[in-house]
Amino acid sequence: MSSSASGKLAHANISNGWFRESGAMWPGQSMNIEVNQVLHVEKSKFQDVLVFESKAYGNVLVLDGVIQVTERDEFSYQEMITHPALFSHPNPERVLVIGGGDGGVLREAIKHPQVKEAVLCDIDEAVIRVSKKYLPSLSVSYADPKVAVHIGDGFEFLQNKKNYFDVIITDSSDPVGPAESLYQSRYYELMRDALRGGGIVSTQGECQWLHLPLIKEVLTFARKLFPVAEYAYTTIPTYPSGQIGFILCSKDKTTNFKEPLRRMSPEQELRLFKYYNADIHRAAFVLPNFTRLAIGDIDQSAGTPAAAAATTTAAAAAKPDESS
C-alpha cells in the first residue's frame, strides 16, 4: 500500500483531490473524478488495484489506472453485457463468466430463473476480495448457491471444458496485461468449444469511437468461428468516450441477436433492471454508419447492408417470459 506523509492512503493517479485515469488505449484524453477518500491501494500478483470513494460516483474500482466500476453507473455495463446474450438463448442453464471479479455480471445472470449454474473464473483474487468489501451491491451475487468461483486464468480454464456451457460472458479489462489473451482468435475457439449446441458468447468489445480497427479484427475472426457474430453497445459516462461495446456470437445460425428470443413483462423489467428492456436490447444493435462501414456491415460500393439477404427477423416469435 502507498501512503502519504500524513499517513493517509495515496496513489499516483490521485493528486489534489482528483483521480485522473491513465489508459494507453485512448491517448489524448482522460477521465477525472473528484475523490472524497482513498479506501484501498494494493499491488496484486497481476495488477495495481485502487478503490476510492468519489464525490459523484460512489465507490470506484480502478485496475492499472483504468476505471472498471463505479457504483453510480455500473448497471449499464453489467446489464448490457449480460441480458442481450441470455435473452437470445432459449434456456440458458449453465453460464460462465470470465473476469468480472466485482460480481456484477453474476448478479445479472442469476436474475434469469433458467440459470441453474453460474461459474466465475477470475485470475486475480484481489479483485474479488476488495469488491466484497467495497462494492457490496455487486458482490452480493457471491452469496447465491448457484454461484461457483474459480481463481485462475480463463484461457487455461476453458481448455478443460468442452460442450458444457450455454452462455459464456467475458467481462475483461482492455487487451493489455492479464487480459491480452482474451482478445485472440484462439480464445474465441476455446469459448466455442466449451459451449453446448446453440451456445452464445458475449464479450467486452471496446469503444467504437476509439477502437474500430480492434473491433473489426475481432469480428472478422469471430465470424469465421461462429455462424452469427454482432456488435452492440451501451452508454456509460465513466468509460472512455462514454460508450462501451460488446461482441456477441452464437453457434446457432438462426440466432437473431437484434430481437429478444425471450422477454419479461414491462413490470418485471422495471423491477429487475435499471437499464435493460426489450427496446434497449433492439436499439443496442443499431449502429452509426461510420461503424457499420468500418466493421463491414455495409457494402460501401452498393450502399446496402452486406448481410441483409441473410438476416431474418424473429419478432413474431418473441413471447413474454413470465417465469420469474
Side-chain angles (χ1 to χ4, degrees):
M1 286 190 179
S2 175
S3 59
S4 65
S6 65
K8 293 183 179 180
L9 290 176
H11 191 274
N13 287 71
I14 297 175
S15 178
N16 298 319
W18 286 83
F19 165 81
R20 181 172 183 176
E21 189 172 44
S22 56
M25 292 189 64
W26 42 94
Q29 65 184 66
S30 176
M31 181 70 179
N32 292 264
I33 297 179
E34 192 170 5
V35 178
N36 281 343
Q37 62 174 323
V38 180
L39 300 173
H40 185 88
V41 178
E42 175 181 352
K43 290 283 188 181
S44 77
K45 290 172 60 178
F46 300 97
Q47 54 203 340
D48 179 89
V49 181
L50 165 68
V51 183
F52 65 88
E53 176 191 297
S54 70
K55 184 173 183 178
Y57 284 91
N59 287 354
V60 180
L61 171 65
V62 179
L63 300 179
D64 284 338
V66 177
I67 296 167
Q68 305 297 310
V69 169
T70 86
E71 289 181 309
R72 177 178 172 182
D73 63 6
E74 54 84 14
F75 60 87
S76 167
Y77 175 83
Q78 317 290 355
E79 293 183 16
M80 292 302 289
I81 198 173
T82 305
H83 299 306
L86 267 71
F87 278 117
S88 295
H89 194 289
N91 188 30
E93 293 182 331
R94 297 172 178 170
V95 176
L96 170 65
V97 180
I98 302 287
D102 54 66
V105 172
L106 280 178
R107 180 195 65 198
E108 296 306 315
I110 59 179
K111 290 178 181 179
H112 291 253
Q114 293 83 2
V115 174
K116 297 179 180 178
E117 179 183 3
V119 179
L120 179 131
C121 176
D122 196 297
I123 197 170
D124 197 344
E125 64 78 27
V127 176
I128 297 173
R129 172 168 40 84
V130 301
S131 297
K132 286 181 176 180
K133 184 172 182 179
Y134 298 110
L135 298 169
S137 64
L138 289 83
S139 58
V140 64
S141 55
Y142 287 116
D144 192 285
K146 295 189 290 291
V147 169
V149 176
H150 174 82
I151 305 299
D153 181 78
F155 200 98
E156 295 178 3
F157 180 82
L158 284 172
Q159 294 186 66
N160 300 314
K161 294 291 182 180
K162 304 294 180 186
N163 194 37
Y164 188 81
F165 294 102
D166 297 304
V167 177
I168 298 174
I169 301 170
T170 301
D171 177 14
S172 66
S173 51
D174 298 306
V176 290
E180 185 174 0
S181 66
L182 307 185
Y183 289 79
Q184 299 171 1
S185 177
R186 177 58 182 149
Y187 178 69
Y188 276 69
E189 290 181 27
L190 290 171
M191 288 194 290
R192 179 196 62 190
D193 295 344
L195 289 169
R196 295 198 280 193
I200 285 173
V201 161
S202 178
T203 69
Q204 195 269 92
E206 298 298 341
C207 177
Q208 61 189 327
W209 290 102
L210 299 168
H211 308 121
L212 279 177
L214 175 62
I215 294 167
K216 181 178 181 179
E217 177 186 349
V218 175
L219 273 175
T220 297
F221 64 65
R223 286 169 172 166
K224 294 177 180 177
L225 297 169
F226 293 86
V228 181
E230 301 283 357
Y231 180 82
Y233 71 95
T234 190
T235 63
I236 177 166
T238 55
Y239 281 4
S241 296
Q243 289 186 357
I244 193 71
F246 315 103
I247 292 176
L248 292 95
C249 309
S250 176
K251 293 179 71 171
D252 182 352
K253 66 180 180 181
T254 68
T255 299
N256 179 13
F257 284 121
K258 299 176 182 180
E259 183 66 37
L261 180 65
R262 296 182 297 108
R263 288 181 56 186
M264 294 182 177
S265 69
E267 293 75 21
Q268 289 172 315
E269 289 178 342
L270 283 172
R271 176 169 56 87
L272 292 172
F273 312 132
K274 293 182 178 181
Y275 193 93
Y276 178 89
N277 57 54
D279 289 333
I280 284 285
H281 179 131
R282 300 182 188 98
F285 295 90
V286 180
L287 305 178
N289 286 345
F290 78 91
T291 302
R292 296 167 70 200
L293 285 167
I295 65 177
D297 280 3
I298 291 179
D299 181 343
Q300 190 168 10
S301 62
T304 58
T311 304
T312 58
T313 180
K319 297 178 181 179
D321 181 353
E322 304 289 351
S323 56
S324 64

